[in-house]
Amino acid sequence: MCRSLIGGPGQVRGGREEVFVRAIGEGCGACALRGLGLGLRLTAMSHCIGLLSIASKLNLLVLLLSAVCFCSCLSDRIPEFALTKTEESDLKEDNGKESVAEDDLDPEDLEVFYPTYQWQTVRPGQAVPAGLHVRLNLQTGEREARLPDNKNEKSDMKDQKKRKRLDEMHINSNSYTSQELKEALAKMKGKEKTENTMEQKANLEDVRQRFRPIEELKKEFEELNMKIETDFEVMVKLINKFNSSTSTLDEKVAALYDLEYYVHQVDNAKDFLSLGGLQLVINGLNSTEPVLKEHAAFVLGAALSSNPKVQVEAIEGGALQKLLVILATEQPLAVKKKALFALSSMLRHFPYAQLQFLKLGGLQVLRNLFKEKGMETLYIRVVTLLYDLIVEKMLLEDSENKEDQMEEKVQQYKQVNLVPAVVEQGWCVIISNLLALPEHDTREKVLKTVRILMAACRDGYQGDYALSTMLSMLRTEYEELAAEEQREGDKDGYFKELLSSINTIIQELRSGYL
């Protein structure tokens, strides 16, 4: 090799080009350039040292050979010192192949992570499917993921549902392409759209069956608006029908029957009064037809209920006298029932009517009902009316409300001496004798009335042997009923309350002897 570089003794002068070419051919790297310089220097030096000895020439040749070998070693380790280096165009061609390969991929492929059973690096921006095992590689600092190993680990319900859906769509969950994903997604959307369409059609059909079109409803409302009449207009027609001389008895009865429904309302009763219907009904109490009397009294009682304005107009129109006449004369039971109903509606919460009732002998009229046969159903109604009137006055007198209006009403009630009139006309005994009736409800109301009249009727009750005997019998009866009631688990039952009322009356009667 050294001979080839420097040539023979006669070839040094003409071998400088040879040294350069051979340095390149043999791969001496960067030292080829330096060899060229050394060759030039050697040529120059050869002229200067021509007279030196052969030994000196050999030493110089060894030194030159060492320098060339050292440069050759450096060229193998450091590429930048080599003269034979790869052209940039070649590198660009290789890199271009890789970039083209990456560009050929679908952009969506870079966004989807395709898991396998081996750990794979998850690129930034890739979506990782649910259920994978994910870890952070501490050596590389990259995130990695893989499918769970079903042999050693149990997959959760989500993985099972996912694989089930994939199987239904005929997709391989282990490896599938972007195109397969697109087709699966389109299939899911189409299925969802079909289900939604079917559900919407079912809902629409259900709505059509349950509801009618708005156009049809509007048409019916328009027809109804043409036929709708106010209560006032209806009452006008009914009053005219009742007052018409051409109307038959049945038509008049039907008109009164419908009027009773409307006049229950306070405002309608006032309109009924303003239309003159009240006076027509009061005059109907004088009818020779019992059925007209019955329904006229029924309408009158409905209009009088809790309506002070109508009460005043009715008593001024002579309704009280006509009702008492019906109760005092021989009339069918149905007529007297409605007349008593109208009388009760007029007297309640109306002290002036109560005063007129006493002046007209109303208590005597009611007392005579107990002497008539077939009027037993009216007994408890009369007792209930008397009880309500007495309690009404007592509650008002005990009230702490001292307003001017209430004070005036209290003064009106003071003029109504109902309890003394009840005692004077023998009502104490009449009421206590009703305890012999078998109905528990009747006994309850009679016991309440006896207790409320105890202070006024004490003297009569204490000397009434029949009352004492009846109270003892009732106490025995209700003690058994109360005990049976208590055995059934009802500690505060109905019969216990009745027994308590009987014991209270007995105790008060005995205390009067002390």
Side-chain angles (χ1 to χ4, degrees):
M1 179 179 177
C2 293
R3 290 176 61 88
S4 64
L5 290 174
I6 60 175
Q11 296 177 350
V12 174
R13 180 184 300 269
R16 57 193 177 196
E17 293 86 358
E18 236 177 358
V19 171
F20 176 71
V21 172
R22 291 195 180 192
I24 295 176
E26 293 294 331
C28 293
C31 290
L33 296 175
R34 297 180 183 179
L36 176 62
L38 290 174
L40 295 175
R41 291 190 184 96
L42 182 60
T43 302
M45 290 175 60
S46 62
H47 294 282
C48 298
I49 58 172
L51 299 178
L52 295 178
S53 63
I54 295 175
S56 300
K57 291 180 180 180
L58 290 176
N59 292 332
L60 181 61
L61 187 61
V62 171
L63 179 62
L64 180 61
L65 182 63
S66 299
V68 171
C69 291
F70 179 74
C71 292
S72 177
C73 293
L74 287 178
S75 65
D76 293 337
R77 292 183 176 272
I78 303 175
E80 65 181 4
F81 293 107
L83 292 177
T84 59
K85 65 184 213 175
T86 305
E87 295 292 336
E88 292 182 0
S89 59
D90 297 336
L91 293 175
K92 289 182 180 180
E93 290 179 359
D94 296 338
N95 293 335
K97 294 181 181 179
E98 295 181 359
S99 61
V100 170
E102 292 181 356
D103 292 340
D104 291 340
L105 296 177
D106 192 341
E108 294 187 3
D109 294 342
L110 301 177
E111 298 178 0
V112 180
F113 179 79
Y114 301 96
T116 63
Y117 287 101
Q118 303 297 328
W119 290 106
Q120 299 182 73
T121 302
V122 180
R123 300 179 184 179
Q126 282 188 321
V128 179
L132 300 183
H133 286 182
V134 181
R135 73 177 184 181
L136 180 63
N137 193 327
L138 299 179
Q139 296 179 354
T140 62
E142 295 178 341
R143 197 165 54 130
E144 300 176 347
R146 69 175 177 86
L147 290 171
D149 188 1
N150 293 331
K151 295 181 180 180
N152 300 325
E153 302 175 8
K154 293 183 179 179
S155 61
D156 54 7
M157 294 300 297
K158 292 184 178 179
D159 295 334
Q160 295 178 4
K161 292 181 179 179
K162 174 186 174 183
R163 291 188 180 90
K164 184 177 180 181
R165 291 197 301 268
L166 292 174
D167 292 340
E168 291 178 356
M169 294 184 293
H170 307 288
I171 294 179
N172 186 359
S173 60
N174 293 332
S175 61
Y176 41 85
T177 64
S178 175
Q179 185 63 27
E180 290 176 335
L181 283 176
K182 292 179 181 180
E183 293 176 358
L185 182 60
K187 185 175 181 181
M188 292 174 60
K189 290 182 178 180
K191 183 178 180 182
E192 182 179 359
K193 184 176 181 180
T194 304
E195 292 178 354
N196 292 338
T197 304
M198 295 178 62
E199 184 178 356
Q200 290 176 359
K201 290 182 179 179
N203 293 337
L204 183 59
E205 186 64 25
D206 181 60
V207 170
R208 288 177 178 175
Q209 293 178 358
R210 295 174 57 187
F211 304 100
R212 292 180 294 172
I214 187 64
E215 292 77 11
E216 182 179 348
L217 292 176
K218 287 181 178 180
K219 183 178 180 180
E220 291 187 2
F221 278 131
E222 290 176 358
E223 294 177 356
L224 289 175
N225 289 333
M226 295 176 62
K227 297 180 180 180
I228 285 179
E229 294 177 333
T230 63
D231 292 350
F232 184 87
E233 294 172 344
V234 173
M235 288 192 297
V236 169
K237 291 183 177 181
L238 294 175
I239 291 172
N240 292 334
K241 182 181 292 187
F242 173 72
N243 194 37
S244 176
S245 58
T246 60
S247 298
T248 63
L249 179 62
D250 293 339
E251 291 176 344
K252 291 183 178 182
V253 171
L256 290 173
Y257 182 82
D258 292 337
L259 279 172
E260 186 273 334
Y261 168 78
Y262 287 100
V263 297
H264 267 295
Q265 300 182 21
V266 175
D267 293 337
N268 288 342
K270 293 179 180 179
D271 293 336
F272 180 67
L273 174 62
S274 64
L275 292 171
L278 181 64
Q279 192 59 47
L280 291 175
V281 170
I282 293 175
N283 295 336
L285 297 174
N286 294 328
S287 175
T288 57
E289 297 292 339
V291 67
L292 281 180
K293 286 184 179 180
E294 176 187 353
H295 285 83
F298 196 26
V299 175
L300 180 61
L304 290 170
S305 299
S306 303
N307 201 326
K309 185 175 181 180
V310 179
Q311 286 177 327
V312 173
E313 294 294 334
I315 198 168
E316 291 180 354
L320 180 59
Q321 292 87 341
K322 291 180 172 60
L323 291 173
L324 291 176
V325 169
I326 293 175
L327 292 172
T329 58
E330 186 176 353
Q331 300 288 341
L333 178 61
V335 176
K336 289 196 174 185
K337 278 184 179 180
K338 295 300 189 289
L340 184 59
F341 165 68
L343 179 64
S344 300
S345 299
M346 179 179 290
L347 296 180
R348 283 186 171 90
H349 306 287
F350 192 14
Y352 178 77
Q354 296 175 18
L355 182 61
Q356 296 301 315
F357 170 75
L358 294 177
K359 289 181 179 180
L360 294 173
L363 280 178
Q364 186 63 36
V365 173
L366 296 180
R367 188 173 183 271
N368 291 335
L369 292 175
F370 289 82
K371 299 178 182 180
E372 297 182 20
K373 294 181 179 181
M375 298 296 168
E376 289 79 9
T377 55
L378 299 180
Y379 294 169
I380 194 62
R381 298 172 187 262
V382 173
V383 172
T384 302
L385 173 60
L386 294 178
Y387 174 81
D388 291 343
L389 296 179
I390 295 172
V391 172
E392 176 186 311
K393 181 180 178 180
M394 293 176 60
L395 292 176
L396 187 63
E397 291 176 347
D398 296 339
S399 176
E400 297 181 356
N401 192 345
K402 300 300 181 181
E403 295 181 1
D404 295 340
Q405 187 176 1
M406 295 299 297
E407 191 67 29
E408 181 181 356
K409 202 167 189 178
V410 170
Q411 295 301 323
Q412 293 176 0
Y413 272 106
K414 286 183 178 180
Q415 299 177 16
V416 181
N417 298 318
L418 180 60
V419 174
V422 167
V423 175
E424 182 181 353
Q425 296 185 24
W427 280 94
C428 296
V429 178
I430 294 175
I431 294 174
S432 62
N433 289 339
L434 296 178
L435 290 173
L437 296 175
E439 295 83 6
H440 297 296
D441 181 65
T442 300
R443 291 175 179 177
E444 178 188 9
K445 294 177 180 179
V446 172
L447 287 172
K448 289 182 178 180
T449 307
V450 169
R451 288 186 61 184
I452 206 72
L453 292 174
M454 181 60 66
C457 300
R458 188 186 301 274
D459 295 338
Y461 287 155
Q462 288 177 347
D464 191 347
Y465 177 77
L467 175 60
S468 300
T469 304
M470 181 58 65
L471 289 174
S472 299
M473 293 175 58
L474 291 176
R475 180 169 63 179
T476 303
E477 179 182 352
Y478 284 110
E479 282 177 349
E480 296 177 359
L481 293 174
E484 182 179 356
E485 200 174 46
Q486 191 170 6
R487 284 194 298 270
E488 294 177 355
D490 192 357
K491 297 182 179 180
D492 299 325
Y494 176 70
F495 297 120
K496 186 177 181 180
E497 293 181 1
L498 292 180
L499 179 61
S500 177
S501 298
I502 294 172
N503 291 330
T504 301
I505 293 174
I506 293 175
Q507 185 67 28
E508 290 182 358
L509 289 177
R510 290 178 179 178
S511 64
Y513 288 106
L514 300 177

